[in-house]
Amino acid sequence: MKEVTYSSTRGEGKKYTASMAVLQGLASDGGLFVPDSIPALDKSLKELSEMDYQGLAYEVMKLFLTDYTEDELKKCIAAAYDSKFDTEEIAPLSESCGSYYLELFHGATIAFKDMALSLLPHLMTTAAKKNGLEKEIVILTATSGDTGKAALAGFADVPGTRIVVFYPKSGVSPIQEKQMVTQKGANTMVVGIHGNFDDAQTGVKKIFGDKEFAKELDEKGFVFSSANSINIGRLVPQVCYYVWAYTRLLKEERIKDGDMINVCVPTGNFGNILAAFYAKNMGLPIKKLICASNTNKVLFDFFESGTYDRNREFHVTSSPSMDILISSNLERLIYMIAGNDTKRCAELMGELSGNGKYTISDSEKKGLADFYGGYADEKETSEQISKIYKTSGYVIDTHTAVASYVCDKYKAETGDDTPVVIASTASPYKFTRSVMNSIDPEYDKKTDFELIDDLCKISNVEIPQAIEDIRTAPVLHKTECDIDEMKTVIAGFLK
Ligand SMILES: *Cc1c(COP(=O)(O)O)cnc(C)c1O
């Protein structure tokens, strides 16, 4: 098998093995690790369609994580995709109103982040062993709501690790917040910051770049890493489920081998849709990548105009995990459309941090031809939930609804009738109030847990364990801080 090495999008110049890139998270020049080439699938889609999720995941990930042995990688996969998921299929595909919903929310925290964050702790502790790292790994994470809980669940009580999660105090759903602040595990810390997700993410990135602080902690036996989707160990597991979705369609004879599909992804930090783009580059027959945004439509504007401009009002929406103005993973796409030119990538990212915007050239824009950008406002999102429920009885969450709306818009606008796989990124139980109010505004009079019981009645979907768990769980984390206090909070936790 061809060895795949990783290097920074900004030209730091060093080459890293996959396990080193997983350990380090972010390159020292602030760039993101990218594979030096994207490997091609080495099994036919027909062969892959005969495998279970774990088997297929191995076949995809072995091509990226080439310095992990077969035994190491298979053990990581077995530990990640086990009975924490409430279905053996791990990511089932459900047809509704002419589209296929790839349900990525059957893991421990009922959002798609579990698909990668169930695996990342295992990839990381294996990497530490392989590379003789004896320090305690401190995971720093900024969350718009779902990453935080999924990372906490993944790392809680994992020996040799600690995890600190920062979330926007007034920017997540009540259930998201309850899930995080009830987290058990002596190695966990959860902090509500007085700011939005971008503030949290920028704060975390700054701490990663703080060499003096890193040295101080190094002396105390700690090393930082990241569980955010900037970590290549988050991205690679996400490639698998697009291959999985294709092979399900093939196995169920809904498509023929080699037929094209489109994918439609509700997007925030651009990690999930980038994974689909990687899958396409591996040879998976994907035609269009439909990138769906909510009212924070910075990506839609970028695909329209070629200008990425974060200087705009920030909106808190009913799909909070997509309330993002700086989509970190877009940097990996920029690197590719600039022809793997690190200097150019660094220049554009410099403009983004300096002026909050950049414009790509016409030839770079041609590299975006596979993407279609769309967005749904709050009313459209809500109406889509209601429409899908009333026509098919299927209940989707607010994030998935954004994608579902944009998907219908794309179909109507282009007449393209290629089968579409919509990434269904959260269980409706995670955003119950918004979902139920969309179906009938009368529901707003009820309490959160009454709504959960009502959702169970109307959807015929069992209440997930993750929700049952928080009904009575005590709040264990009460720390709040200002943006400029994040470092102090971490230092306090690691004392
Ligand atoms: C994180 C998240 C998204 C956005 O995914 P990105 O990879 O950041 O683009 C969408 N929906 C849900 C429910 C999420 O948790």
Side-chain angles (χ1 to χ4, degrees), residues 111-113 146 266-272 321-322 399 425-426:
F112 95 96
K113 307 291 197 296
D146 290 333
T267 297
N269 226 351
F270 209 75
N272 202 1
S321 301
M322 297 157 66
H399 302 74
T425 50

Side-chain angles (χ1 to χ4, degrees), residues 300-325:
F300 167 78
D301 293 338
F302 172 65
F303 286 121
E304 288 286 294
S305 67
T307 296
Y308 191 94
D309 186 356
R310 64 149 304 189
N311 303 304
R312 60 179 73 208
E313 203 185 324
F314 178 88
H315 301 276
V316 173
T317 73
S318 59
S319 45
S321 301
M322 297 157 66
D323 289 346
I324 291 174
L325 294 181

Side-chain angles (χ1 to χ4, degrees), residues 17-182:
T17 59
S19 66
M20 279 307 294
V22 166
L23 268 183
Q24 198 174 313
L26 195 67
S28 63
D29 61 353
L32 308 192
F33 289 119
V34 278
D36 292 326
S37 64
I38 293 183
L41 290 168
D42 69 351
K43 290 259 177 351
S44 72
L45 293 165
K46 190 91 197 33
E47 279 171 280
L48 292 168
S49 71
E50 299 305 325
M51 295 180 182
D52 60 11
Y53 192 87
Q54 294 81 352
L56 181 141
Y58 171 72
E59 291 301 328
V60 174
M61 285 196 272
K62 70 169 194 198
L63 300 169
F64 282 100
L65 306 177
T66 51
D67 73 318
Y68 286 77
T69 66
E70 176 171 351
D71 184 54
E72 284 169 345
L73 193 51
K74 284 191 169 163
K75 277 193 180 133
C76 289
I77 289 170
Y81 304 118
D82 60 6
S83 60
K84 289 191 287 300
F85 285 77
D86 66 8
T87 159
E88 262 175 40
E89 280 197 282
I90 307 295
L93 203 58
S94 175
E95 187 183 6
S96 193
C97 302
S99 297
Y100 299 101
Y101 289 83
L102 177 63
E103 296 185 353
L104 300 171
F105 53 77
H106 288 272
T109 76
I110 61 175
F112 95 96
K113 307 291 197 296
D114 289 325
M115 298 301 294
L117 282 164
S118 310
L119 186 70
L120 184 68
H122 302 288
L123 291 179
M124 222 176 242
T125 48
T126 305
K129 254 187 237 142
K130 290 174 77 67
N131 292 286
L133 183 86
E134 274 156 17
K135 299 205 185 310
E136 196 164 349
I137 302 170
V138 181
I139 303 297
L140 287 191
T141 295
T143 183
S144 54
D146 290 333
T147 296
K149 179 62 187 183
L152 287 162
F155 282 95
D157 292 324
V158 171
T161 70
R162 295 205 198 186
I163 172 163
V164 186
V165 168
F166 294 98
Y167 72 94
K169 181 67 192 154
S170 335
V172 300
S173 85
I175 289 174
Q176 285 178 314
E177 181 170 37
K178 186 93 198 273
Q179 277 189 304
M180 287 190 279
V181 298
T182 56

